[in-house]
Amino acid sequence: MKRDVFQAIADPTRRAILVLLTAQAMTPNALAEQFQMSRQAVSKHIRILRECEVVEQQKAGREIYYHSRLDKMKEIDRWLEQFRQHWDSRFKQLDQVLTNLKAKQNET
């Protein structure tokens, strides 16, 4: 089963891992220290993040470091943009209605 980036952000723990990895590359042990769960549980989340291609691993000696792939996160941003544009338009309409109501109140 092919996973997509939306599965990566569907879980709060994976979102938290992504936030940490955006700041710096980390090992599984370093990540596990940030959560109240086992290294194995964190590794399962990392596996899903890798399958979603939002995290890559890089070997440095005997350690494996994970870092986020911001280019894949842009896929989420592009999808959300359609909603941003919609809501921006709606808020502009609301601003206009409120401005018109305020102008009418000032006239009376």
Side-chain angles (χ1 to χ4, degrees):
M1 178 175 94
K2 172 108 168 81
R3 295 186 187 267
D4 65 17
V5 292
F6 297 100
Q7 289 170 311
I9 63 170
D11 183 271
T13 301
R14 289 194 293 273
R15 290 192 302 267
I17 290 171
L18 283 170
V19 169
L20 291 169
L21 294 178
T22 299
Q24 66 181 17
M26 298 177 79
T27 65
N29 286 335
L31 283 166
E33 289 172 3
Q34 304 297 313
F35 301 94
Q36 292 185 338
M37 63 179 65
S38 68
R39 184 188 180 284
Q40 290 79 13
V42 170
S43 291
K44 287 181 183 181
H45 286 292
I46 292 171
R47 180 180 48 82
I48 293 169
L49 291 170
R50 287 189 64 218
E51 289 172 2
C52 295
E53 299 177 345
V54 295
V55 166
E56 285 183 334
Q57 73 178 28
Q58 185 175 24
K59 202 161 186 175
R62 293 181 356 162
E63 292 286 349
I64 294 175
Y65 286 87
Y66 292 96
H67 59 92
S68 61
R69 288 188 54 200
L70 297 178
D71 59 316
K72 289 297 282 185
M73 299 304 287
K74 288 181 183 178
E75 188 176 322
I76 297 167
D77 187 52
R78 284 191 300 273
W79 185 79
L80 288 172
E81 183 60 30
Q82 65 187 320
F83 299 102
R84 261 189 230 109
Q85 290 173 2
H86 172 76
W87 283 108
D88 283 348
S89 171
R90 298 296 298 258
F91 283 127
K92 285 178 186 174
Q93 290 173 358
L94 179 60
D95 282 344
Q96 188 60 49
V97 168
L98 294 174
T99 300
N100 292 342
L101 285 173
K102 193 172 187 178
K104 284 182 183 179
Q105 276 185 335
N106 290 338
E107 289 175 2
T108 58

